[in-house]
Amino acid sequence: MSASDLTGLTLKGALDALAEKRVSAVELAQAHIDAIAVANPHLNAYVLETPDKALEMARASDDRRARGEAGPLDGASLGIKDLFATKGVRSTAGSKIIGEFIPPYESTVTANLWRDGAVMLGKLNMDEFAMGSSNETSAFGPVVNPWKTRGSNQPLTPGGSSGGSAAAVAADLCLGATASDTGGSIRQPAAFTGTVGIKPTYGRCSRYGIVAFASSLDQAGPIAKTVEDAAILLRSMAGHDAKDSTSLDVETPDFTSFLGKSPKGLRIGVPKEYRIDGMPDEVAKLWDQGVEWLKAAGCEIKTVSLPHTKYALPAYYIIAPAEASSNLARYDGMRFGLRELGNGTLTDVYEQSRAKGFGEEVKRRILIGTYVLSAGYYDAYYLKAQKVRQRIADDFDAVFQEVDALLTPTAPSAAFALGDRVSDPVAMYLNDVFTVTVNLAGLPGISIPAGVDAGGLPLGLQLIGRALDEGTLFTLGGVVEQAAAFRAKPERWW
Ligand code: GLN
C-alpha cells in the first residue's frame, strides 16, 4: 500500500490490515510521521511530534504480533491531546505556565491505550487548559482547520478545545485521537471537521493524569474517522480506576457490538428548546433530515421539552470557571514549569508567574470563578447555578422516561474564520449552547458528521443518551452515519 493509502485507512481498516499482515505497525507509523512532517507547518495540529517513540512502540508492536500476543489496538498510530500526562513526554495543556513539564507518570486513559498496543505519534494542540471553542487560546497558536469554504482561502477554526485532535483525524495525521470534553470540546470540533466524537458518561473514563479544568464536568473520549472507530477507541480508553474517585465501577461493554443493531422501535426525542433563534437554515434543515433518517430506520419520533435549557449556558459559565479557579490555584510558579522571580518575594513570584504564565481567556475564567465563589456572591451565583444544574439533570431524567435518545444539532454553525470571535467572549461561548447541557447532566453525547453547508463545510448532528447507555448512541450513530453517507474529505492544500 502507498503511504497515502495507509494514512487514509480508518482505524478498523488499519487494524484489519495489521491482523492480515498486509502492513506492519512500523510502516503505518512511518506513513503518519511523514504525513505530519508535511502537514504540521500548515495545520499546527501537533505541538510535539514523537517520531522516535512512535517507531520504537511500533517495533515493539510488530514483535508482539509476531509472537501472537497482539492486543485490540496493536499497531494503531494515535495522537494524544496535550491535556493527557504522558510519562517522559512533555505535556503542557496548551499553557505556558506548565512550560516544559515532563510528567513522571502516565494518565490512565493513555496507559489503557498503550496496554492495548497503540502507538503514540505525538501530542496534539488544544485551547489553553481546554478553555475555548476555537483553539485560539493555545499558547502554541491556533490550529488551522483542514477544511476550507469552497472558493475561499480563509483559514478556519477546527473548533475547540480539542482542535488539534479533530484536525489531525480529519487530515489523516493519525488513525484516531484522544480528546476531552467539559462543555463540548470533543463534539464541537468533531462537527467542525467532519469527524466523529463521543463524550461518554461522566465517570466512564478515568480523569487520573488529565490536567483538570472543571472536575465535575471533565470527561475524556475519542475523536475518530467513523462511528465504529470511536467505539473501538472508547472501549480501550474506558474502565474503572481506583485512582479517580469519580470513576464508575461498571463493566465496559464491547461498544462495537451495538453497531448494526436494529434501531427499530427506539424512541427519539427532539427537544423543542434547541430550536434557538437565529439558527442558520442549513443547521435546522439538517436536523429535520436527521429526524427523517431515524424515522425511515424505524424509530419513533417525539417532540419533547427540556424547559431549563436556556439557563444551561449561564450556569455552565459559572460552574466551570468556579471549579477552574480552584483547580488552577496549584500553578503558582513553585511546582511546575514557569517561574518568574519578580522582586524575589513569595507573593511576587506567585503574581508574576501567574501573570506571565496564563493567557487572557484563562485569566478571565479565574477572575469569574473567584468572583462567583467569593463571600457575598456565592449564594447569588454559584449556589444558584448548582440548583439550575440539578433542574437540567431533572429535565433529562423526565424525558428519558419517554424516549431512548435525543437528536439535536451539535453546534449552531459550521466552522468559522480564525479571528472572527476571539474579541467577543459571549459570541464564543454561544458555540456551546447544545453541548453544555450534556456535561451538566453527566450524560453521554456523540457527534456524527451528517452533511455540509452551502460552502461545503461539515455539519454535525448530536445524539444524547441515558447515563451509561453509550450503546444506543453507537447504534443510532451508525444509522445516521450510513444514511448521511458523509464521505467528504477536506481537499488537500497543505
Ligand atoms: N468551549 C467550552 C469552554 O470554553 C468547553 C470547553 C471544553 O469542553 N473543554 O468552556
Side-chain angles (χ1 to χ4, degrees), residues 127 130-134 160-161 182-185 188 213-214 217 311-324 361 364-373 381-382 385 388 392 424-437 440:
D127 279 302
M131 298 174 190
S133 304
S134 64
S161 66
T182 303
S185 280
Q188 181 254 20
F213 165 9
L217 301 159
Y311 306 114
L313 210 50
Y316 171 86
Y317 276 98
I318 289 171
I319 293 167
E323 294 186 22
E361 182 61 28
R364 182 179 293 123
R365 306 281 178 116
I366 294 173
L367 287 172
I368 296 172
T370 45
Y371 179 78
V372 299
L373 288 174
Y381 293 104
Y382 184 68
V388 168
I392 287 166
D424 185 350
V426 175
M428 192 65 95
Y429 298 167
L430 277 169
N431 266 287
D432 308 325
V433 63
F434 303 136
T435 47
V436 293
T437 52
L440 288 168

Side-chain angles (χ1 to χ4, degrees), residues 158-462:
S161 66
S162 312
S165 307
V169 173
D172 292 336
L173 305 182
C174 58
L175 295 169
T178 66
S180 68
D181 189 313
T182 303
S185 280
I186 291 176
R187 292 160 286 158
Q188 181 254 20
F192 279 15
T193 56
T195 56
V196 175
I198 180 163
K199 180 202 92 70
T201 309
Y202 183 77
R204 189 59 107 173
C205 290
S206 168
R207 290 181 296 109
Y208 177 76
I210 302 178
V211 175
F213 165 9
S215 307
S216 76
L217 301 159
D218 298 344
Q219 212 10 237
I223 292 184
K225 296 183 189 182
T226 66
V227 175
E228 183 178 32
D229 287 0
I232 295 170
L233 286 168
L234 183 59
R235 182 169 196 202
S236 288
M237 292 167 72
H240 179 242
D241 179 15
K243 288 188 258 178
D244 169 7
S245 61
T246 60
S247 156
L248 295 171
D249 194 358
V250 291
E251 278 293 304
T252 305
D254 174 2
F255 293 116
T256 57
S257 69
F258 293 93
L259 273 141
K261 265 198 177 175
S262 168
K264 272 211 178 66
L266 286 175
R267 297 160 304 167
I268 310 298
V270 178
K272 61 172 193 250
E273 290 79 5
Y274 282 54
R275 209 163 278 271
I276 52 170
D277 288 345
M279 179 187 276
D281 224 29
E282 296 160 317
V283 175
K285 276 213 185 98
L286 184 71
W287 190 10
D288 295 341
Q289 175 70 70
V291 167
E292 291 309 316
W293 286 330
L294 292 174
K295 209 189 273 178
C299 299
E300 195 185 312
I301 311 291
K302 284 189 180 188
T303 301
V304 296
S305 173
L306 297 165
H308 296 90
T309 300
K310 64 172 178 291
Y311 306 114
L313 210 50
Y316 171 86
Y317 276 98
I318 289 171
I319 293 167
E323 294 186 22
S325 69
S326 163
N327 274 327
L328 271 52
R330 74 191 69 167
Y331 303 105
D332 55 4
M334 297 293 147
R335 284 165 280 196
F336 306 90
L338 188 78
R339 177 178 301 159
E340 286 288 330
L341 289 177
N343 68 15
T345 63
L346 182 62
T347 312
D348 213 42
V349 176
Y350 289 160
E351 288 179 356
Q352 297 298 329
S353 301
R354 287 170 72 83
K356 298 230 165 62
F358 289 133
E360 287 306 302
E361 182 61 28
V362 174
K363 285 180 189 158
R364 182 179 293 123
R365 306 281 178 116
I366 294 173
L367 287 172
I368 296 172
T370 45
Y371 179 78
V372 299
L373 288 174
S374 59
Y377 295 104
Y378 185 93
D379 289 0
Y381 293 104
Y382 184 68
L383 207 61
K384 193 61 135 302
Q386 293 287 32
K387 289 181 181 163
V388 168
R389 181 177 189 172
Q390 187 57 53
R391 291 293 169 95
I392 287 166
D394 294 345
D395 283 357
F396 279 112
D397 276 351
V399 301
F400 280 130
Q401 306 289 326
E402 295 172 50
V403 297
D404 301 300
L406 298 163
L407 181 75
T408 77
T410 307
S413 72
F416 48 89
L418 286 170
D420 225 22
R421 298 190 192 171
V422 259
S423 53
D424 185 350
V426 175
M428 192 65 95
Y429 298 167
L430 277 169
N431 266 287
D432 308 325
V433 63
F434 303 136
T435 47
V436 293
T437 52
V438 179
N439 302 74
L440 288 168
L443 302 174
I446 190 168
S447 177
I448 319 285
V452 290
D453 75 354
L457 295 177
L459 294 169
L461 286 175
Q462 173 178 239

Side-chain angles (χ1 to χ4, degrees), residues 93-112:
S95 183
K96 277 201 280 228
I97 204 155
I98 305 188
E100 295 298 311
F101 177 60
I102 297 183
Y105 55 89
E106 188 78 31
S107 85
T108 297
V109 163
T110 47
N112 291 347

